[in-house]
């Protein structure tokens, strides 16, 4: 292909396609590095499929692993995984933009469009400023988180405890779920207030979304200037922020109550613990499915009701424009509000005295439908290729799609086909099912110039 052909190919790529290719390139580079003998403690190559699985899980900030991260990977391997988590959590365009700024290069329109798609924004205004704020805010929060975790890790592990604290702070904020504690994730710390509260706050902050951060800071700054009360402060938030905050609090509260009731008498999970540990364990289990992947109680020993609630929370996930996965809280919120409006006979979907545009409703419906289709398809495939129970396979599938990383114990025994299918599922989940669908579509969006005749069909 000549230079003109290459230039034309580059111009024809849509922002969504560049985003998909960028993440794919990062995954392949990570797989090559993790496949090197130097990446393992045994100084032997892990094999490309397992390296690809680990790289995909790190870049897609999932946390599903086929080997024990603590024991299997060398310090080089752990650092590679950590870098992949950080880049994957914030998006490669965030780091690329920062690099361009350092070099003094101007950010072009094409690159701003990619940033807009990566951060799920509806306007091009302030994309570079948003990227810088995201990076600085992330480093600040991760630094504070690492400082608190060091209080527990450094006295036990010495200088290595600092790396351990940084690793878990980044992994928690990026909602990755990778840990270097051992086989049981954070179970040894189920009663540790500092580790539980720090990790939960990092998960929540990463899952709120960068747009919500900026909106909260804007309103708080105005509050200090104008002395607004709490009720008036909430009214100043955008509709997006209101929905995110309300649903985030509601899902954590509902999950906490549910897990506390079902597991507090279960001798295999929380039954033999003190009341303080039961509360911490239930609260952590309510937070981690959205979508971090850490756990402080043995998931395989939970009741069926708790496992199914975890699946629901994983599917919903965190909020848009953040590090979390899932179909997102706002997406589910828009669907619920639309259903309520339909039941009440309203023509428009409204929330907090605002009307939600029809194109947003269609987008939410598309995300839910594609996501549900992916989960059903993958579950059916794994039911054929794997030997686990239906609950184990469904749990694994939703965990991969929502980039959570929680498992009932079948990840390490997946067949080669199963690993490849889970890799694809994690990739779709990280970029978003709608982004993948748009990237695969070669037709540009067009607005119809003429409305077709209407005809009613029967539903329900």
């Amino acid at each position: 292909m000549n230079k003109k052909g290459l230039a034309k190919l580059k111009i024809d790529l849509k922002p969504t396609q560049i985003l998909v290719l960028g993440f794919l390139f990062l995954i392949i580079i990570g797989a090559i590095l993790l496949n090197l003998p130097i990446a393992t403690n045994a100084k032997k190559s892990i094999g490309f499929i397992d390296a690809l699985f680990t790289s995909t899980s790190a870049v897609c900030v999932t946390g599903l692993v086929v080997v024990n991260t603590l024991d299997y990977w060398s310090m080089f391997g752990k650092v590679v995984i950590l870098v992949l988590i950080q880049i994957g959590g914030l998006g490669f365009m965030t780091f690329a933009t920062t690099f361009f700024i350092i070099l003094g290069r101007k950010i072009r329109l094409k690159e701003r469009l990619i940033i807009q798609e990566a951060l799920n924004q509806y306007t091009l205004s302030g994309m570079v400023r948003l990227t810088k704020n995201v990076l600085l805010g992330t480093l600040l929060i991760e630094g504070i988180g690492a400082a608190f975790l060091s209080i527990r890790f450094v006295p036990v592990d010495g200088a290595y405890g600092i790396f351990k604290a940084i690793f878990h702070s980044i992994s928690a904020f990026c909602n990755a779920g990778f840990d270097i504690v051992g086989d049981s994730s954070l179970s040894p710390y189920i009663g540790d207030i500092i580790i539980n509260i720090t990790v939960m706050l990092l998960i929540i902050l990463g899952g709120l979304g960068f747009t919500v951060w900026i909106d909260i800071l804007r309103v708080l700054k105005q509050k200090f200037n104008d002395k607004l009360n709490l009720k008036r402060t909430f009214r100043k938030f955008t509709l997006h922020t209101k929905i995110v905050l309300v649903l985030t609090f509601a899902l954590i509260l509902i999950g906490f109550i549910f897990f506390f009731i079902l597991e507090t008498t279960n001798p295999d999970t929380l039954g033999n613990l003190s009341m303080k540990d039961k509360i911490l364990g239930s609260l952590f289990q309510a937070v981690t499915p959205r979508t971090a992947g850490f756990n402080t109680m043995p998931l395989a020993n939970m009741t069926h009701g708790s496992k199914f609630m975890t699946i629901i929370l994983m599917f919903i996930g965190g909020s848009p424009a953040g590090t979390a996965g899932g179909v997102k809280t706002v997406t589910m919120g828009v669907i619920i509000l639309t259903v309520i409006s339909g039941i009440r006979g309203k023509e428009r979907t409204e929330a907090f005295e605002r009307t939600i545009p029809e194109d947003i409703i269609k987008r939410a419906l598309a995300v839910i439908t594609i996501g549900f289709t992916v989960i059903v398809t993958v579950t059916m495939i794994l039911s054929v290729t794997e030997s686990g129970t239906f609950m184990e396979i469904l749990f694994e599938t939703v965990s991969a799609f929502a980039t959570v990383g929680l498992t009932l114990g079948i990840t390490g025994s997946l067949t080669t086909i199963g690993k490849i299918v889970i890799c694809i599922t994690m990739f779709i989940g990280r970029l978003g099912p709608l982004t993948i669908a748009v990237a695969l579509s070669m037709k540009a969006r067009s607005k119809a110039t003429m409305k077709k005749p209407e005809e009613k069909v029967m539903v329900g």
Side-chain angles (χ1 to χ4, degrees):
M1 184 180 290
N2 56 31
K3 291 184 177 180
K4 289 184 178 180
L6 287 172
K8 187 177 184 300
L9 179 62
K10 184 177 179 180
I11 293 172
D12 287 343
L13 285 176
K14 295 184 289 187
T16 50
Q17 292 170 327
I18 296 175
L19 201 60
V20 169
L21 292 174
F23 269 94
L24 190 60
F25 177 76
L26 184 60
I27 288 171
I28 293 172
I29 293 297
I32 292 172
L33 292 175
L34 291 175
N35 197 37
L36 296 174
I38 193 177
T40 69
N41 284 323
K43 304 304 177 187
K44 295 180 181 179
S45 173
I46 189 175
F48 188 74
I49 293 296
D50 286 341
L52 180 66
F53 188 97
T54 305
S55 179
T56 304
S57 184
V59 172
C60 298
V61 290
T62 305
L64 291 174
V65 294
V66 290
V67 293
N68 185 298
T69 306
L70 171 66
D71 299 327
Y72 191 87
W73 300 107
S74 65
M75 179 57 74
F76 174 81
K78 291 183 179 74
V79 170
V80 169
I81 290 172
L82 188 61
V83 172
L84 292 175
I85 290 171
Q86 186 73 91
I87 298 176
L90 296 184
F92 74 94
M93 276 307 300
T94 300
F95 287 90
T97 302
T98 304
F99 183 68
F100 291 155
I101 292 171
I102 293 173
L103 292 179
R105 176 183 159 183
K106 186 177 180 181
I107 309 301
R108 298 173 298 180
L109 176 61
K110 186 80 172 184
E111 289 151 353
R112 292 173 190 266
L113 287 169
I114 301 171
I115 298 170
Q116 179 190 15
E117 186 68 36
L119 296 179
N120 199 20
Q121 300 297 301
Y122 288 102
T123 175
L124 276 174
S125 177
M127 282 297 101
V128 177
R129 184 174 65 254
L130 175 62
T131 302
K132 289 191 289 187
N133 290 337
V134 164
L135 185 61
L136 292 174
T138 296
L139 295 178
L140 176 63
I141 293 173
E142 289 175 346
I144 294 173
F148 276 99
L149 293 177
S150 295
I151 297 174
R152 285 291 183 264
F153 292 145
V154 171
V156 177
D157 300 297
Y160 178 72
I162 298 175
F163 173 75
K164 194 173 178 180
I166 294 172
F167 188 100
H168 288 95
S169 181
I170 293 175
S171 183
F173 178 79
C174 291
N175 281 217
F178 278 84
D179 72 88
I180 47 175
V181 174
D183 290 322
S184 55
S185 188
L186 298 180
S187 294
Y189 304 100
I190 188 170
D192 193 301
I193 294 177
I194 291 179
I195 288 183
N196 274 267
I197 297 300
T198 301
V199 172
M200 283 190 288
L201 286 176
L202 286 168
I203 293 170
I204 293 170
L205 288 173
L208 283 178
F210 309 123
T211 306
V212 174
W213 289 7
I214 295 170
D215 193 38
I216 291 175
L217 291 174
R218 174 188 63 81
V219 174
L220 288 179
K221 183 178 179 181
Q222 186 178 355
K223 180 181 185 297
F224 287 127
N225 293 335
D226 301 342
K227 297 181 180 180
L228 298 173
N229 59 38
L230 186 61
K231 188 174 181 180
R232 288 181 59 195
T233 299
F234 186 78
R235 288 177 180 174
K236 291 289 183 179
F237 291 137
T238 63
L239 177 61
H240 174 85
T241 300
K242 290 175 183 176
I243 294 176
V244 167
L245 294 178
V246 169
L247 287 181
T248 297
F249 176 78
L251 289 171
I252 292 174
L253 181 62
I254 292 170
F256 165 71
I257 295 173
F258 193 92
F259 290 125
F260 184 81
I261 293 173
L262 265 67
E263 300 300 328
T264 193
T265 57
N266 184 352
D268 295 325
T269 53
L270 303 178
N272 298 321
L273 302 179
S274 65
M275 182 55 67
K276 177 192 70 109
D277 291 358
K278 287 179 180 179
I279 292 173
L280 279 176
S282 301
L283 186 59
F284 194 93
Q285 187 58 33
V287 172
T288 192
R290 310 179 42 253
T291 53
F294 296 111
N295 62 278
T296 56
M297 71 169 80
L299 302 179
N301 296 337
M302 292 194 306
T303 62
H304 288 301
S306 292
K307 290 175 183 176
F308 192 65
M309 172 57 80
T310 302
I311 289 173
I312 293 172
L313 292 176
M314 289 193 296
F315 181 73
I316 297 172
S319 301
T323 60
V327 295
K328 306 295 189 301
T329 54
V330 177
T331 304
M332 187 60 69
V334 168
I335 295 297
I336 293 172
L337 289 169
T338 303
V339 171
I340 293 173
S341 296
I343 293 172
R344 291 179 175 178
K346 293 184 177 181
E347 293 184 0
R348 294 179 294 274
T349 300
E350 299 173 346
F352 299 104
E353 300 181 357
R354 293 290 186 273
T355 299
I356 299 175
E358 188 177 344
D359 63 314
I360 301 297
I361 298 171
K362 289 180 179 179
R363 185 182 178 93
L365 183 60
V367 169
I368 294 287
T369 304
I370 297 173
F372 184 75
T373 303
V374 169
I375 288 172
V376 170
T377 304
V378 172
T379 301
M380 291 182 69
I381 294 172
L382 294 182
S383 296
V384 175
T385 63
E386 310 306 315
S387 59
T389 64
F390 177 75
M391 176 64 80
E392 290 172 338
I393 290 172
L394 178 62
F395 197 100
E396 192 86 2
T397 300
V398 177
S399 180
F401 171 77
T403 68
V404 180
L406 296 176
T407 179
L408 296 181
I410 68 170
T411 310
S413 60
L414 290 172
T415 62
T416 300
I417 295 175
K419 290 174 184 176
I420 294 172
V421 170
I422 289 294
C423 280
I424 295 171
T425 307
M426 289 189 289
F427 188 71
I428 293 173
R430 177 64 186 101
L431 285 166
L434 193 58
T435 299
I436 297 291
V438 172
L440 292 175
S441 173
M442 299 308 294
K443 289 181 68 176
R445 297 183 209 173
S446 60
K447 292 185 178 180
T449 56
M450 183 176 65
K451 183 180 178 181
K452 301 292 190 301
E454 287 186 1
E455 184 173 349
K456 293 184 178 181
V457 295
M458 291 182 287
V459 295

